[in-house]
Amino acid sequence: MAVAARTPLIAGNWKMNLDHLQAVAFVQKLHWTLKDAKHESESVETAVFPPFTDIRSVQTLIDADKIPFALGAQDLSVHDSGAYTGEVSGAFLAKLDATYVIIGHSERREYHAESDAVVAAKVKAALKHGLVPVICVGETAADLEEHGASAVPVSQLEAALEGVPASADIVVAYEPVWAIGSGQAATPQQAQDVCAALRGVIAKVLGDEAAARTRILYGGSVKSANIASFMREPDVDGALVGGASLDANEFAAIIRFEKHVGV
Ligand code: 13P
C-alpha cells in the first residue's frame, strides 16, 4: 500500500486527573515548553483530552492564546439529548470546539461494561456531531495468551466500524490492556504487527483510501524514552499517552519525538 502523508498525532488522555484550574496551568506550561523548544506545531499534531469539567476552560485558553492544540473528550453519550442523567452529548462537545472524542477505552469497557455494540453506537454518535472518534481497541494479557495479539483488537475494530461510511474521519488507537499504566510497553514490532492488522481491517471495511489516510496510534506506557522507537514503525502514526501526558516536560518531549535520535 502506498504510504500516505499522515500527520503524526500525539494525544494526551488525562483520564480523571487535573481539575479545571490545574488544566489551564498545565496547558499554558505545555505550550510554553514547546515554544521555548521551537517545536513546529504543523509537523506533529498535539491533542489533549481533559475531563469534561475542564473542557470549557481549556477551550477558552486555546482560543484566546491561539494555542495549536486540538481538544478532545474522553467519552460521549450515544444519545443527542434527553433524560439521561449524567450523560454528555456529542452536540455539546462540538459546541465547545472539541475535535476528537475517545471511544471504547479499555477502562470504560472494563469498569462501565461498554460492549462492542455500545462502542459502535458511540462511534456513530460522534460522527453525527462532527467529532472524530478515537476508537480504542486492545487485548488483555489473557487474550494475548489465548488468541495472540491481533485477534481481539481486530474483532473490536470490525464491530466498531460497522455501518461507518468510507469517507468518515476516524482515528484508531491500539492499546494493549496489559501495557496500560504497567510500565511495560509493547515492543515496537508488536505494535507494528497489530497496527498493520488494524489497517487491514480499515482497508477491508472502509476501503484502501481510508486505510491509507487513517491514523493509527499506539498506547500503553509510552514515554519520551520509547516514543521514537514506536514512531519509526510504518503503521504507527502517533501515540495515545496516559500517565506521561500529565507531566508537561515529559509530554513535550514525547511530542518532540522527531528530535530524539538513537533511542
Ligand atoms: P499509560 O500511558 O498511562 O500507560 O496509559 C495509556 C492509556 O490508557 C491512554 O489512553
Side-chain angles (χ1 to χ4, degrees):
M1 190 178 299
V3 179
R6 296 186 290 265
T7 303
L9 171 60
I10 303 293
N13 174 11
W14 297 359
K15 309 191 180 183
M16 198 170 71
N17 294 290
L18 305 183
D19 63 35
H20 73 288
L21 300 172
Q22 294 168 319
V24 165
F26 177 87
V27 169
Q28 280 172 325
K29 183 171 183 196
L30 180 63
H31 177 48
W32 282 104
T33 304
L34 289 166
K35 254 192 135 166
D36 282 350
K38 301 199 180 355
H39 173 68
E40 284 169 27
S41 56
E42 310 78 47
S43 65
V44 178
E45 185 181 353
T46 299
V48 291
F49 292 77
F52 287 131
T53 49
D54 300 4
I55 292 180
R56 174 63 173 156
S57 305
V58 173
Q59 179 226 357
T60 305
L61 171 67
I62 284 176
D63 192 42
D65 289 7
K66 310 218 169 352
I67 296 176
F69 299 165
L71 188 56
Q74 298 174 17
D75 185 30
L76 87 173
S77 173
V78 297
H79 304 289
D80 297 342
S81 65
Y84 303 102
T85 301
E87 294 282 274
V88 174
S89 167
F92 307 161
L93 299 173
K95 273 268 164 60
L96 287 167
D97 297 336
T99 303
Y100 298 105
V101 59
I102 292 172
I103 295 176
H105 192 281
S106 63
E107 287 150 17
R108 294 210 61 88
R109 291 180 191 261
E110 184 180 350
Y111 308 140
H112 300 271
E114 284 196 8
S115 62
D116 280 350
V118 168
V119 170
K122 289 189 171 185
V123 169
K124 288 198 187 67
L127 294 172
K128 177 175 180 184
H129 294 294
L131 301 164
V132 177
V134 178
I135 304 167
C136 298
V137 298
E139 82 288 0
T140 63
D143 294 332
L144 179 65
E145 207 161 295
E146 208 174 321
H147 310 289
S150 295
V152 167
V154 159
S155 84
Q156 288 174 335
L157 185 59
E158 283 170 345
L161 293 182
E162 218 180 286
V164 168
S167 61
D169 201 359
I170 62 167
V171 171
V172 174
Y174 168 51
E175 297 205 310
V177 181
W178 48 267
I180 294 176
S182 67
Q184 196 208 331
T187 65
Q189 189 62 55
Q190 281 172 318
Q192 165 57 25
D193 290 348
V194 179
C195 289
L198 295 173
R199 201 174 299 286
V201 171
I202 300 169
K204 191 178 73 180
V205 181
L206 302 181
D208 286 343
E209 189 276 327
R213 75 175 148 76
T214 297
R215 289 173 296 180
I216 304 181
L217 315 181
Y218 167 75
S221 297
V222 169
K223 44 189 195 266
S224 61
N226 61 21
I227 182 68
S229 62
F230 289 111
M231 295 306 293
R232 270 198 288 269
E233 298 296 337
D235 285 298
V236 178
D237 305 313
L240 184 54
V241 186
S245 78
L246 298 169
D247 177 321
N249 288 319
E250 175 67 3
F251 193 50
I254 293 171
I255 293 163
R256 297 178 66 245
F257 69 88
E258 287 164 324
K259 303 287 179 253
H260 308 197
V261 284
V263 180

